[in-house]
Amino acid sequence: MRNLIVTAVFGLTMISAAVLAGPGHSHAPVSKEIAAGMAAEKRDQLVTSGKLDKSWSGVAVSRIEQKTFAKGPEWVIAFRNDAVADPAKRTLYLFYALDGHYLASNFSGK
């Protein structure tokens, strides 16, 4: 009986560990193309939530690069929207960890 209980507990532990380590928990670097796609989705979320003007919807990626900041390397994805009147806010920068985790966005690129 004790062996049955130990086996059941071990089995449940392994199943729960597999469930918790499901998709989206990878620490492998994402490609430039995947980072661009993720940034486009985030841009659309910011438009939908009202944090960005609707003119940003559908604006194409203008530049993707890896930059190293104090906390390490990051993907920096830039979108340029010439429909914005303020020149300081024409370029939107989204920052992602190399594994694809969203970090921040701003108009300064820093």
Side-chain angles (χ1 to χ4, degrees):
M1 185 68 165
R2 181 172 184 249
N3 287 342
L4 181 62
I5 292 172
V6 170
T7 303
V9 169
F10 180 74
L12 289 173
T13 303
M14 296 308 291
I15 289 171
S16 63
V19 169
L20 292 175
H25 292 118
S26 172
H27 294 288
V30 297
S31 69
K32 182 185 274 191
E33 293 77 20
I34 291 175
M38 294 169 67
E41 287 179 23
K42 186 64 174 181
R43 177 211 54 220
D44 292 341
Q45 288 175 356
L46 293 170
V47 169
T48 302
S49 69
K51 293 181 180 180
L52 282 178
D53 184 73
K54 291 180 182 179
S55 68
W56 284 98
S57 185
V59 172
V61 171
S62 63
R63 187 173 65 241
I64 304 171
E65 60 186 330
Q66 277 189 27
K67 284 189 174 180
T68 301
F69 296 98
K71 293 186 179 182
E74 298 175 9
W75 283 115
V76 180
I77 300 97
F79 296 88
R80 180 156 173 91
N81 184 356
D82 291 325
V84 175
D86 184 353
K89 295 192 177 183
R90 285 188 185 148
T91 304
L92 172 68
Y93 299 92
L94 283 93
F95 302 87
Y96 283 84
L98 295 186
D99 67 359
H101 177 77
Y102 171 74
L103 300 171
S105 58
N106 63 40
F107 294 107
S108 71
K110 298 177 184 177

